[in-house]
Amino acid sequence: YRRAQGRSYWTDLVEAEKARGERYLGRIGETEWLVAFRPQGALGEVIALLGPEARLLSLGDAVLHDLAAGLLRLFLFMQENNLFSFNALLYEGEEGARLRFAPRFYIHPSLYTSDVNFLKMMCGEPITVVAPEDLALRVRPYFARQPVERRPG
């Protein structure tokens, strides 16, 4: 993308999502939060961009604080929506560090089953039961809240 367009894919994506207003969640400090337009999880996926210069082995206190503040918002959303499991990936690419966060169905271990369906497992085609725009509508209010205060103890 950078070679063809001469610009950052992630910067362009954030600007496009802000302009559309459908999947953009908000900014916390230097981090940008949005819902993936092609989620990998059945219940959707949230992406956090930690900044174009962010490197995993040298994340500063401010970026770590911003990341934690966003995760707290996601955890509150999950708690209030009876979601008890998630997958998360924190990784680094050419254009900085990113987080991918996907809530999961809770399936009791005694059922001996997985929430990974055959389309994803056998065909590499993930499905989602939540439209990205609907997930954004449900999660966005958590990003509009005041910062979550740490409780003593």
Side-chain angles (χ1 to χ4, degrees), residues 49-60 63 91-98:
L49 306 174
L50 307 185
E53 304 303 319
R55 300 292 173 248
L56 292 181
L57 296 178
S58 59
L59 290 176
V63 173
Y91 67 105
E92 182 179 312
E94 285 184 23
E95 297 184 36
R98 295 179 282 286

Side-chain angles (χ1 to χ4, degrees), residues 2-152:
R2 184 179 287 281
R3 272 183 259 147
Q5 303 297 323
R7 296 185 308 273
S8 162
Y9 168 80
W10 295 103
T11 300
D12 285 358
L13 178 63
V14 167
E15 293 308 313
E17 292 294 351
K18 282 181 182 179
R20 290 184 67 134
E22 294 177 325
R23 293 178 293 264
Y24 184 74
L25 297 175
R27 183 180 181 99
I28 299 175
E30 296 301 311
T31 61
E32 300 279 5
W33 297 77
L34 57 143
V35 172
F37 63 87
R38 187 178 182 274
Q40 296 297 304
L43 296 177
E45 179 182 340
V46 173
I47 298 172
L49 306 174
L50 307 185
E53 304 303 319
R55 300 292 173 248
L56 292 181
L57 296 178
S58 59
L59 290 176
D61 289 345
V63 173
L64 289 172
H65 181 272
D66 299 340
L67 176 62
L71 285 170
L72 281 172
R73 286 164 170 83
L74 291 176
F75 294 151
L76 284 172
F77 165 78
M78 289 182 62
Q79 180 180 26
E80 291 177 10
N81 288 276
N82 296 314
L83 298 169
F84 306 109
S85 183
F86 64 91
N87 287 331
L89 173 66
L90 185 60
Y91 67 105
E92 182 179 312
E94 285 184 23
E95 297 184 36
R98 295 179 282 286
L99 169 79
R100 292 174 57 188
F101 183 96
R104 295 180 61 184
F105 292 109
Y106 175 77
I107 300 176
H108 196 277
S110 67
L111 297 176
Y112 302 106
T113 190
S114 169
D115 65 347
V116 177
N117 62 68
F118 82 94
L119 281 171
K120 186 168 187 171
M121 180 67 75
M122 304 304 286
C123 303
E125 287 292 330
I127 62 168
T128 182
V129 296
V130 177
E133 296 77 11
D134 293 340
L135 179 61
L137 281 173
R138 293 177 56 209
V139 174
R140 191 174 297 118
Y142 293 84
F143 280 78
R145 292 182 179 182
Q146 292 298 317
V148 179
E149 296 297 322
R150 238 180 120 184
R151 295 182 188 159

